[in-house]
Amino acid sequence: MVKVLDSILSQSAYSAEIDVPLEKIDIADWLFNLPEAEYLRCCPPDHIAAGVTWTDDGRRMSINVEQIGSGLVVQHYVAEVAEPTYCRMNSISDVFTANGRTQVNVVWELSVEKIDDRRSRYTNKVTAHPTDAFMTFIQNHGVTYENAAAARQTAGGDHNRRETPLFAASLARRALSKEGALR
């Protein structure tokens, strides 16, 4: 069993406007029906693969494989909240580096709010927490927590900055395609 520590390893939040009314956006529907090719378009070349599955106890999961900085990360996001305007996904993520494999906890929060009757604002917030396995990993490789956190903040922030507007555009395409299907 992996132990998640309370401290924050990295955190970033970016927003992008969507030219779609709030009422037409459904983040949970988008997230759990996102075609892999669309996921890849949402942060090339970092996004590598995606899929959805279930936990043994029936909770929805989103599996994302992505390159963040120099690490290959396999995210095992379990839905804690999956609603049209807010999703909170929690993952014990596997991180593969040149020095080996470790794990971090990643909380991914996706939210949308109304700007006006025609536009919405999507926010993509990612918070990483160290695990006991991560602390042992960096200690075994002579890396200080401060240096590891700084590297994670730089790489994770850059990744989030680039994927947020592309996720927002994908949410808009999904909303508009569903609207077109209803006509």
Side-chain angles (χ1 to χ4, degrees):
M1 183 86 175
V2 175
K3 180 179 177 187
V4 176
L5 306 181
D6 288 336
S7 58
I8 293 177
L9 185 58
S10 65
Q11 186 174 60
S12 65
Y14 289 91
S15 296
E17 291 186 11
I18 303 171
D19 290 330
V20 175
L22 176 68
E23 298 74 22
K24 295 186 186 244
I25 296 172
D26 187 335
I27 296 173
D29 173 70
W30 169 79
L31 182 61
F32 293 106
N33 292 289
L34 183 65
E36 182 177 72
E38 181 70 353
Y39 176 75
L40 300 183
R41 285 188 284 272
C42 289
C43 196
D46 296 7
H47 287 180
I48 298 167
V52 293
T53 187
W54 301 89
T55 63
D56 281 344
D57 61 1
R59 293 176 291 159
R60 291 192 283 186
M61 290 182 69
S62 173
I63 305 293
N64 300 345
V65 179
E66 54 193 343
Q67 181 84 34
I68 299 178
S70 61
L72 177 65
V73 184
V74 179
Q75 315 274 17
H76 309 266
Y77 286 117
V78 176
E80 293 180 337
V81 179
E83 299 173 346
T85 59
Y86 179 72
C87 288
R88 179 181 163 95
M89 309 297 290
N90 196 326
S91 171
I92 298 297
S93 301
D94 294 298
V95 182
F96 298 85
T97 75
N99 292 325
R101 177 180 177 178
T102 188
Q103 293 179 310
V104 297
N105 171 241
V106 180
V107 177
W108 181 24
E109 295 176 272
L110 310 85
S111 62
V112 65
E113 62 185 347
K114 182 176 186 170
I115 296 175
D116 58 32
D117 290 342
R118 297 178 302 125
R119 297 178 300 141
S120 306
R121 179 177 298 106
Y122 170 73
T123 299
N124 198 64
K125 181 178 180 182
V126 179
T127 305
H129 301 273
T131 64
D132 55 348
F134 179 80
M135 298 306 286
T136 300
F137 179 82
I138 62 172
Q139 182 179 12
N140 289 344
H141 292 92
V143 178
T144 66
Y145 179 77
E146 291 75 20
N147 286 343
R152 170 72 193 191
Q153 182 64 43
T154 298
D158 173 63
H159 180 84
N160 192 3
R161 177 188 56 79
R162 290 183 289 117
E163 75 182 356
T164 296
L166 299 173
F167 279 156
S170 180
L171 277 162
R173 282 192 295 276
R174 174 81 177 172
L176 295 174
S177 72
K178 291 181 78 173
E179 180 182 70
L182 295 175
R183 288 185 186 166

